[in-house]
Amino acid sequence: MALTAHHKMQMYGALLLLPAAVLLATFAYLPTITTVIQSLFLPGFRGAPPEFVGLENYRFLFDDAKFWKVARNNLIYALGTIPASIALALGMALFVNGKLPGRGLVRMAYFTPTILPMIAAANIWMFFYAPQIGLFNKLLGALGFAGVNWLGDPSVALGSVIVMSVWKEAGFFMIFYLAALQGIPPELKEASDLEGTSRWSFFWRVTFPLLMPTTLFVLINALINAVRVVDHLFILTKGGPNNATNLLLYYVYENAFSFFDRTTAATITVVILLVLAVVATLKFTILDRRTHYQ
């Protein structure tokens, strides 16, 4: 039986989607399913098959004091990086969107940290944070203050990592805000000027509501970035001192490749995925009511 034009279009569309679907299933869905299954078993020893234990691995994980310390660190890291990087990105976008001499050069300077590999950025900040020869301690010494062990003191190590992360991410988020600002019709600004609306009032009543779709997108990306922190911890702290900067994904790496405890690593990964899914759902549910897409 000959295919109709409608069926041909459907087949054509399916073939176009097939490569992306195969890649998504191979590198996203299949690993996720495998990880969930692995978290429900204990590995067999000396050739014995894995033993199904249900949710027992999760009970052991939630009884682990180190896991809760790492989770607390990650929460502090997220609360420190997400609002700061978004606020800084929005401020930079508003600044470079105006009539500014050398605007292109300023935009490039803001975006430069984003194009640096994370390892390179971490090495740069390692020089800034070095106890004896670091730039920050040199500046403190010039002002008459004692130096700080930025990465070796548990009370300031996590804050030091947060500062570096905000510096790295803000320029990336700025690009999205800048594109959104340039998409706002100039007639709205002209009308507000005719009515004598202040710049601050125009921002909160017009600009910021129109930026909500971009803000929602940036929030989700910032949340993901706050969890998938591994690279610069290798260079800066390796999770120390005394697990003060150990974050969830680095803890997964430690269990999987340092302690060879892949069951615990899989269990932590599933917990991370569930938390991300819940938080992302809440964000979409709450912020979607205040989001204008047209």
Side-chain angles (χ1 to χ4, degrees):
M1 184 177 63
L3 295 175
T4 63
H6 178 68
H7 288 150
K8 288 182 179 179
M9 288 297 296
Q10 287 183 329
M11 184 177 296
Y12 182 67
L15 290 174
L16 289 176
L17 291 174
L18 183 60
V22 170
L23 290 174
L24 191 62
T26 303
F27 296 104
Y29 297 146
L30 184 59
T32 301
I33 295 172
T34 304
T35 301
V36 172
I37 293 174
Q38 189 173 4
S39 70
L40 303 176
F41 287 82
L42 280 178
F45 295 97
R46 296 181 179 179
E51 177 186 358
F52 178 77
V53 293
L55 300 178
E56 195 70 14
N57 291 324
Y58 294 91
R59 186 180 68 82
F60 285 131
L61 180 66
F62 293 148
D63 289 338
D64 182 10
K66 183 177 178 180
F67 167 75
W68 289 111
K69 182 175 184 178
V70 172
R72 176 179 174 273
N73 290 344
N74 220 137
L75 178 62
I76 295 172
Y77 179 86
L79 293 176
T81 56
I82 294 175
S85 58
I86 292 177
L88 185 59
L90 179 57
M92 292 191 300
L94 290 169
F95 180 65
V96 300
N97 191 51
K99 296 179 180 179
L100 181 70
R103 183 171 55 181
L105 184 62
V106 176
R107 290 177 180 177
M108 183 183 68
Y110 285 162
F111 188 68
T112 298
T114 300
I115 63 178
L116 289 175
M118 184 60 80
I119 299 298
N123 277 287
I124 292 172
W125 281 79
M126 177 69 81
F127 168 74
F128 292 164
Y129 287 141
Q132 303 299 328
I133 61 171
L135 176 63
F136 292 157
N137 280 343
K138 287 290 185 181
L139 292 175
L140 289 176
L143 296 174
F145 296 100
V148 178
N149 191 358
W150 299 100
L151 300 176
D153 185 348
S155 62
V156 298
L158 185 58
S160 301
V161 176
I162 288 173
V163 170
M164 195 219 79
S165 299
V166 172
W167 171 84
K168 184 76 169 62
E169 293 181 358
F172 177 66
F173 297 147
M174 179 203 70
I175 296 300
F176 297 104
Y177 276 120
L178 182 59
L181 286 170
Q182 293 179 350
I184 296 177
E187 294 82 5
L188 296 176
K189 179 60 177 170
E190 295 171 1
S192 70
D193 291 339
L194 290 175
E195 294 181 0
T197 305
S198 66
R199 182 177 299 180
W200 185 253
S201 180
F202 177 77
F203 172 76
W204 280 112
R205 294 179 178 273
V206 179
T207 305
F208 191 70
L210 291 176
L211 292 176
M212 283 305 294
T214 303
T215 301
L216 181 59
F217 172 79
V218 169
L219 269 173
I220 299 301
N221 279 273
L223 173 64
I224 295 173
N225 289 344
V227 175
R228 62 180 185 88
V229 180
V230 173
D231 303 32
H232 50 280
L233 292 183
F234 280 111
I235 304 299
L236 295 176
T237 64
K238 290 184 171 57
N242 193 25
N243 292 306
T245 60
N246 201 348
L247 303 180
L248 284 171
L249 201 58
Y250 189 83
Y251 191 38
V252 171
Y253 165 81
E254 277 189 331
N255 280 278
F257 300 105
S258 296
F259 309 143
F260 299 102
D261 187 358
R262 297 188 179 182
T263 299
T264 301
T267 306
I268 300 171
T269 303
V270 173
V271 172
I272 294 173
L273 292 176
L274 290 175
V275 172
L276 286 176
V278 170
V279 175
T281 301
L282 290 175
K283 283 183 177 181
F284 277 111
T285 303
I286 295 172
L287 293 181
D288 194 61
R289 301 172 183 172
R290 301 184 58 186
T291 301
H292 305 276
Y293 292 101
Q294 292 182 354

